[in-house]
Structures are given as C-alpha cells and as structure tokens.
Amino acid sequence: MTGAKSASSKPQPAGKAAAMCTQAANSHEAAGTSLHTGNGKPVPPGMHEREILRLECVSKLYGSGESGVAAIRDMDFTIHNGELTSVLGPSGSGKSTLLHLMGLLDKPTTGKVYIAGTDTTSISDADQARLRGKMIGFVFQAFNLISSFTALENVELPLMIYDVPKEERRKKATAILERLQMGHRLNHLPSQLSGGERQRVAIARALINDPEIILADEPTGNLDSKTGEEVLKIIEDLHQEGRTIILVTHDESLVKVTEKVVRIRDGRLVKSEVLV
Amino acid sequence: MNTADMLNYSIKSMRSRSLRSWLTIVGVVVGITAMVLLVGLVQGLKNDVESQLKGFGTNTIVIIPMDVSKVASYGSTQMVPSSGKLTELDYQRVKKAGSIDAITKILSGRFNMQFKNESITVSASGIEPENYGRIIGSSLEIDTGRFLVPSDHHALVLGYSIADSGFTKKPEVGSDIYVSGEKFKVVGILKKAGSANSLDSAVLMPFDDAKSLLGDSIGPNEISAIRILVKEGENVNETADQIESIMLSSHRKNEDNKDFSLVTAGYISSQIDQTTSLLSLFLGAIAGISLVVGAIGISNTMFMTVLERRQEIGLLKAIGMEEGEIERLFIAEAGVIGIAGGTLGLLLGALLIGVANLLGFPAQILPQIAIGAVVFSAIVGMAAGFIPSRQAARLDAIEALRYE
C-alpha cells in the first residue's frame, strides 16, 4: 500500500481543536496542507495528491443559543484521492451527522465542505443534489434497495435519474454486478437475495456513477461476520483499484482494513491517524 | 428521469402493493363508469329524439296556438293558461310574408271512426291537399291508392299504423269508414314512415270536411295550426322572425304575453338540447361526486405510500434525485392510478352501454367522451396526488434514511 503514509496529520489533542480551527478558518490553505504533509513524506506522483473531500472548521448545531447542541464541532480533515479512511466513533459521537455532512445530505451550521475543490455550502439544494448524485456513492447499513426493482434495476437507478439510455445503463450495471459475483442474480428481487447479496447490489449501485467518494455507513452492520468479511473484502478490493472510500462505523474491527482512521467522540475529532 | 422510466417505476411500485392499488383503482372505476354510462344514455336519448325530428323538415315552420316556452313552467300543455286561437285571418296575414314556398292551414280534432262494426277514437287533421303534400314532401309516400286532391270530398288518407292495426279488419283503398257518423271513402294508405313518425298514426281529410265535422265545437274561423315551408335558400330563422311579428300584431300581443308559438326544427332541437344538457348536468354531477370520492381514495393511498416509502425517498435523494423530480415521480404514480381507473371505467362503461342497447335503451358512447374519460381521470389522479407528492419531495433526506 504505497503512499498511504502521506495521507494523514499529526494527532490532535481534542481540547485544542476549537482554537486551531479558528486559525485555520482564516487560511484554507494552511488547514489543508498541515494535515496533508503531517509526516513529512513525499507524495508519490499520480496517487493521493488530489484533494477529494475537505471539511474546514465544520460545526453542526441543533437548536440555538444556550440550549443548542453541537452534533459536530470544529471538524477539520482532508481526504485525498484513493484513500480508504474509517470514521470511527461510538454511537452518539456524531458520526451519522458527519456522514450526512460529507455526503451533502446536510449543510453545516458553520464551516465549509469542499468536494473535489468545490465549496458545497454555498450552492443551491438542486446543485447539491446533482453534485451528490455525481460525486458520492452511498452504501447503507440497511442496503436501501427498492423492493419492487430487480438487482439490475436497482443498480441502474442512479443512471435512470440522469436519463442514460436503457441499453447503455443495462450494460454498465450488468458489468458491475458481474464483477461483484452477482451475474447470476441480475433479475432477482431484493427479497430473493441474501443479506450479503443485497449489500453487493447496493455497492454496485454506489459504483455505477463512477463517484469520487464512496460513503459506506456501517456496511457490515446488518450482516453476519462471515458475510461481513466478504463485504469488507470487496471494499478492500475497490480501494486497491484506487477508489476513495470512507467507512463510517462504530466497529473497531473494521479499522484493520483502512489505512487511515478519523476517531470522533462527542462531535469532536479526537484523533486522525495513519495506520499503515 | 424520463417519462417512460417514471411510469415503469410507478407501475412497479403499485404492483408491489397490488391489493391497495387495485382498491384505489376501483374507486376511480366507479366514478368513470357512472360518467360514461350516464352521459351515454343521455346522448342516446338525444340522438333518438333528433332522428325523429328529421321527419319534421329543416325548412318547416309550424304555428300553434300556445306559447310552448311556458309549457315547462306549467308542467303540461293542458295547463298553460290563456292559450290563444289561430284563425283564418292569421292564415291570410301570414300567407303574405316573404320567403314562403308553401303554406297550409290545419284543423285537427278527435273523432269517432267506425269501420265495419268496430269504432275507435282518433285524432284526424283537415288539410289543404296540394300545399300539405308540398310541405311534407318526400317523407309523405303513398303505399296504395293516392294522396288527397283539392276536389276530394269525404275522402280519407290513413297512416300506416292506423290502416295496419287500428281495426281488427284492415281497411283498404275504397273501404268506407264512418267519421262522426258521416261516410268517408279511403283513397290512400301511406307507407310506413318509421316507428317514431307521427305520419304513421295520421288520419288526413280535406280541410272543409274537418271543419263541417267539428261544426260549432270550434270558433267560426278557428284553425288548429299553420304549417309553412320556407323557400329553399332562405334563412328559416329570419322568416320565422318576420312571421312572428306578423302574428304578434295580428293578435295584438307582445313577446311576454303571446298566445302562439312558431315551431321550427331548430327550435325543437334547441329545446331538446336544453332538456338533455340539464339532464347531463344532473347525471354528470352524480358521476362527479363518485369521482371525487375516487380522487380522495387516490390521495389517501398516496399519503400512505409516501409514509411507507420514506426510506426509498431518502435513497432517491441520496443518489441525487432533485425535489422536483421526486415530486413528479409520485404525481406520475397517482396519474397512473387515475389512468388505470379511467381506462377500466371506460371499458366497463362501454360494456354496460352495450347491455343497455341490448335492453333497448339507445345509449351511445362518443369518442370524445371516451378520450375525455381517460384524460380526465389522469388529471384527477395527478391532482389528487399533488399534495402527497409534495410531501414526499420535501421529506428531510436524513430523517427519511433513518426511518426503519
């Protein structure tokens, strides 16, 4: 796993995050580079040098004033092209909120979220939806397949939204499903598939638009450990192919496949570390 | 998402909740079937009456001594007060109006008719043979014998049904029939004009014979009606207006208290239109109410669908579907329910119209009603699905995804 080492930052003491964030907010460049060049190693050409996702001093508050609760506070980190990152935190740590912010399903109260260099906080809802469709592939714990659609149609769905001609999208969806060993289940309904198979379909759906980032939310949460391992293997394979993947989980054991981990607790970034 | 994909999506979603979808569709079917059937019945009735009207002749004006526009408000012809009388004087005055091709005075009454040992009571008319024949024209066809001529005296022409079934023994040309005790000779029998045509039950005699038979029971110069044939190419309505003003001054009346009417084919069909469109409106309202109930059913189903499919809506948002498109997707689904209900309702309505025809009701289905029923039900469906679809589009993606 070459180049993985370069992708992280110094461990940050949680208590200082707010203060650092305020400084960083004044200079985007400073925040980005400081994280990026944390361990001082050079970045190999063609890999990891491209910034895909950057959270800059992001806070998400629910309610207002004194009674307001911060689900996410002063979050700062950068994800680069080809990284497999895990976002690890116990339940209630704010990782769902973080997932929604990274996935453009939600907007931060303060701070900025950049996707491939685009500031997504100032764009319209419709543009956000478009960006989400093109840039981000979601994989959910509950698979979220459409029960009346076959495996193939579920995978085609994102292309359907963009009016891709039927033959083209069918061809593409078939190819992806075949690659995930689902070629024999193309015309099965979700109810006729096992949990692992459903998650494969969901992964195929996340891949169909060739997104910049795959956001996987507890992808093994609804699976037994053996099937979970298989799904994890798929995620590893995708990473080997150069995909940028963010794995959001509370399960410490998933961290082993990732090369970088962002640990959060109580809405704050506790530690961002490189594992390999 | 293009329309074909949207419809495909909608149909698949509906299939996965097939019982509820079908029940909702049935709700629409009831309304559309009622609409198609009731409108069809009214249309059939209208056509039936109009085909009967054809015998009347489009260039014909008939003056009768009663204001028929008041009939509706009094319920029947007998109850209209101050029915006037038409006289020879009116006849002479109207005769001078322009654009008239032919004109005849008619004197009608109910008479006792005796053939062999059998007697019946019929309504018979005294006419001026030449003029009458010219006015009635081609629809007056002789089966046996001949039509009346001016020199006839105590002669009768019988309509088809009078000759055929008026008496046990059928009178023929040359038969003697006693009318109010006076001996008449049958000179002609008319061809069958059609079930609804009044000529079939006509008994025609020379005007002077009718007048002498009625004797003192009528006024000295009284006549029952004046029948006019307007010249070919002349405007019937303009001629009618001209005659109307002649009549008004002759009777010293005005529009409000007039005691006669000019009946034209246009007038009759406008009266029929008025009646049938009122009937249509009434029956349409009944069908409309059931369609409203159907629409509420669609709304209900769509609200439930949106609630059940929150996770799916969340997913659609996650994969980049915009609010407007989600809204359209659900409106399409409601529209599909409407179209399905409309199409099935149309088929069922057409089937029932077929049955009605077999039973002898002249119901009819017009292409514009058929198309209208389907289009209308689609619109009703989409309108009913509008608010639920909006709700779907506005769902918070995060909440929707969290929902299990």
Side-chain angles (χ1 to χ4, degrees):
Chain A
M1 202 163 284
T2 54
K5 297 173 194 76
S6 67
S8 189
S9 66
K10 295 178 272 202
Q12 282 181 12
K16 286 185 185 169
M20 289 178 70
C21 181
T22 327
Q23 289 168 1
N26 296 330
S27 164
H28 303 168
E29 302 310 317
T33 43
S34 72
L35 280 169
H36 186 35
T37 55
N39 60 8
K41 293 218 171 178
V43 177
M47 276 287 274
H48 291 197
E49 83 274 35
R50 192 159 65 93
E51 168 194 306
I52 297 292
L53 173 76
R54 176 153 54 93
L55 266 65
E56 192 179 280
C57 203
V58 166
S59 292
K60 180 69 186 177
L61 302 160
Y62 291 106
S64 58
E66 291 297 307
S67 62
V69 179
I72 291 290
R73 192 182 288 277
D74 303 329
M75 199 68 81
D76 257 300
F77 61 84
T78 305
I79 306 276
H80 292 94
N81 189 26
E83 286 179 345
L84 172 53
T85 311
S86 55
V87 172
L88 191 72
S91 83
S93 61
K95 63 180 189 304
S96 288
T97 306
L98 184 57
L99 173 92
H100 297 141
L101 290 169
M102 293 190 295
L104 305 183
L105 288 165
D106 206 352
K107 282 184 175 177
T109 314
T110 58
K112 287 183 188 285
V113 177
Y114 292 89
I115 301 271
T118 308
D119 179 4
T120 64
T121 34
S122 57
I123 62 177
S124 72
D125 284 357
D127 284 340
Q128 211 178 33
R130 230 165 283 139
L131 207 60
R132 184 162 65 228
K134 287 209 173 100
M135 301 281 201
I136 299 161
F138 286 92
V139 178
F140 299 100
Q141 178 176 2
F143 322 130
N144 287 43
L145 299 178
I146 290 172
S147 58
S148 54
F149 276 19
T150 63
L152 195 59
E153 288 166 333
N154 266 290
V155 178
E156 281 180 49
L157 187 59
L159 295 181
M160 231 182 254
I161 293 175
Y162 293 106
D163 285 343
V164 176
K166 195 164 183 170
E167 298 74 39
E168 189 184 331
R169 65 182 195 226
R170 189 131 289 191
K171 217 170 115 188
K172 225 169 155 182
T174 307
I176 292 175
L177 279 167
E178 276 170 353
R179 224 182 66 203
L180 295 174
Q181 277 89 51
M182 286 293 291
H184 60 305
R185 290 275 194 267
L186 294 180
N187 297 312
H188 285 58
L189 292 172
S191 58
Q192 299 165 321
L193 300 173
S194 72
E197 287 172 329
R198 287 184 210 183
Q199 198 57 300
R200 280 166 201 259
V201 175
I203 291 169
R205 181 182 61 199
L207 289 170
I208 192 92
N209 260 347
D210 199 17
E212 294 278 5
I213 316 162
I214 291 168
L215 274 178
D217 183 15
E218 304 276 13
T220 61
N222 277 16
L223 303 172
D224 60 57
S225 55
K226 185 175 166 285
T227 321
E229 287 295 328
E230 284 169 23
V231 167
L232 225 47
K233 179 74 175 53
I234 293 171
I235 289 172
E236 278 188 271
D237 289 348
L238 292 172
H239 172 233
Q240 293 298 335
E241 290 168 19
R243 296 266 173 201
T244 312
I245 303 167
I246 302 174
L247 192 59
V248 179
T249 184
H250 71 282
D251 187 352
E252 190 80 36
S253 72
L254 300 192
V255 173
K256 65 177 190 273
V257 305
T258 63
E259 52 184 352
K260 181 173 151 187
V261 58
V262 175
R263 287 177 193 276
I264 62 169
R265 184 180 290 277
D266 299 329
R268 288 172 193 276
L269 191 136
V270 182
K271 208 157 85 176
S272 177
E273 57 184 327
V274 177
L275 297 168
V276 185
Chain B
M1 196 180 276
N2 64 39
T3 313
D5 284 333
M6 251 180 206
L7 291 178
N8 181 35
Y9 193 160
S10 302
I11 290 166
K12 285 207 160 109
S13 299
M14 282 167 60
R15 274 208 199 130
S16 66
R17 293 160 184 84
S18 60
L19 178 65
R20 192 201 305 159
S21 301
W22 277 115
L23 288 174
T24 313
I25 288 169
V26 167
V28 180
V29 167
V30 171
I32 295 294
T33 302
M35 193 178 94
V36 169
L37 181 64
L38 296 177
V39 171
L41 282 169
V42 172
Q43 187 62 40
L45 182 75
K46 194 173 153 186
N47 287 353
D48 202 40
V49 176
E50 272 173 2
S51 76
Q52 292 178 25
L53 253 185
K54 275 185 189 152
F56 188 83
T58 47
N59 276 356
T60 303
I61 299 171
V62 176
I63 308 174
I64 54 171
M66 175 197 306
D67 185 1
V68 290
S69 69
K70 296 207 175 85
V71 171
S73 41
Y74 287 97
S76 91
T77 50
Q78 274 82 28
M79 291 168 76
V80 179
S82 71
S83 283
K85 290 193 186 333
L86 292 177
T87 62
E88 291 276 356
L89 198 60
D90 294 325
Y91 173 62
Q92 296 305 334
R93 283 174 175 157
V94 170
K95 223 174 178 173
K96 289 179 191 133
S99 315
I100 290 178
D101 187 342
I103 180 166
T104 179
K105 49 188 178 181
I106 297 171
L107 188 56
S108 304
R110 294 186 70 75
F111 301 97
N112 178 274
M113 261 173 68
Q114 193 193 339
F115 177 60
K116 309 275 182 186
N117 293 321
E118 202 178 342
S119 64
I120 55 172
T121 304
V122 294
S123 154
S125 297
I127 53 159
E128 297 175 294
E130 271 182 23
N131 292 337
Y132 187 84
R134 185 166 173 76
I135 293 165
I136 300 294
S138 61
S139 58
L140 188 78
E141 284 184 284
I142 298 291
D143 185 37
T144 52
R146 58 170 177 81
F147 195 61
L148 297 168
V149 293
S151 59
D152 275 330
H153 183 63
H154 279 60
L156 287 178
V157 167
L158 302 180
Y160 171 82
S161 36
I162 293 283
D164 190 62
S165 48
F167 303 93
T168 331
K169 286 184 179 165
K170 293 180 186 178
E172 290 167 353
V173 172
S175 300
D176 287 334
I177 291 182
Y178 289 85
V179 182
S180 298
E182 291 189 28
K183 188 172 152 186
F184 279 72
K185 196 169 277 294
V186 177
V187 297
I189 292 171
L190 300 178
K191 266 191 185 160
K192 186 172 179 169
S195 59
N197 203 302
S198 61
L199 269 180
D200 281 342
S201 53
V203 174
L204 302 174
M205 64 179 73
F207 184 88
D208 291 340
D209 287 342
K211 186 166 181 164
S212 72
L213 286 176
L214 287 167
D216 293 339
S217 68
I218 55 166
N221 286 317
E222 187 176 340
I223 55 178
S224 307
I226 299 169
R227 204 171 174 113
I228 299 149
L229 181 68
V230 178
K231 272 184 190 153
E232 199 67 48
E234 295 288 340
N235 186 321
V236 178
N237 291 333
E238 277 174 19
T239 310
D241 286 346
Q242 192 192 347
I243 293 169
E244 169 126 354
S245 59
I246 292 171
M247 285 294 297
L248 284 174
S249 69
S250 172
H251 280 212
R252 297 174 200 285
K253 298 280 187 187
N254 59 41
E255 271 298 326
D256 297 322
N257 63 4
K258 67 176 184 177
D259 53 3
F260 64 92
S261 297
L262 266 65
V263 180
T264 60
Y267 176 79
I268 296 176
S269 61
S270 80
Q271 290 292 306
I272 293 165
D273 274 350
Q274 217 177 339
T275 313
T276 51
S277 53
L278 209 67
L279 198 63
S280 288
L281 203 69
F282 175 67
L283 296 177
I286 293 174
I289 288 167
S290 55
L291 204 59
V292 166
V293 175
I296 292 170
I298 293 179
S299 281
N300 213 343
T301 296
M302 292 310 295
F303 274 122
M304 233 188 293
T305 297
V306 169
L307 210 62
E308 280 179 1
R309 286 161 66 187
R310 289 177 62 159
Q311 248 193 320
E312 182 176 327
I313 295 161
L315 173 85
L316 292 174
K317 291 197 161 191
I319 61 175
M321 207 162 179
E322 289 169 39
E323 283 193 8
E325 220 166 2
I326 291 173
E327 190 172 330
R328 278 199 294 282
L329 182 66
F330 280 85
I331 286 178
E333 191 165 326
V336 167
I337 295 176
I339 290 173
T343 309
L344 292 176
L346 174 64
L347 293 177
L348 187 60
L351 191 76
L352 290 178
I353 280 178
V355 171
N357 278 318
L358 286 178
L359 294 175
F361 294 101
Q364 201 198 23
I365 186 159
L366 296 174
Q368 61 264 41
I369 294 292
I371 296 164
V374 178
V375 172
F376 185 53
S377 53
I379 292 169
V380 165
M382 290 193 281
F386 182 70
I387 294 171
S389 303
R390 235 179 142 70
Q391 203 181 47
R394 298 272 166 86
L395 265 186
D396 179 13
I398 298 162
E399 286 298 317
L401 281 169
R402 194 176 290 155
Y403 189 81
E404 307 233 359

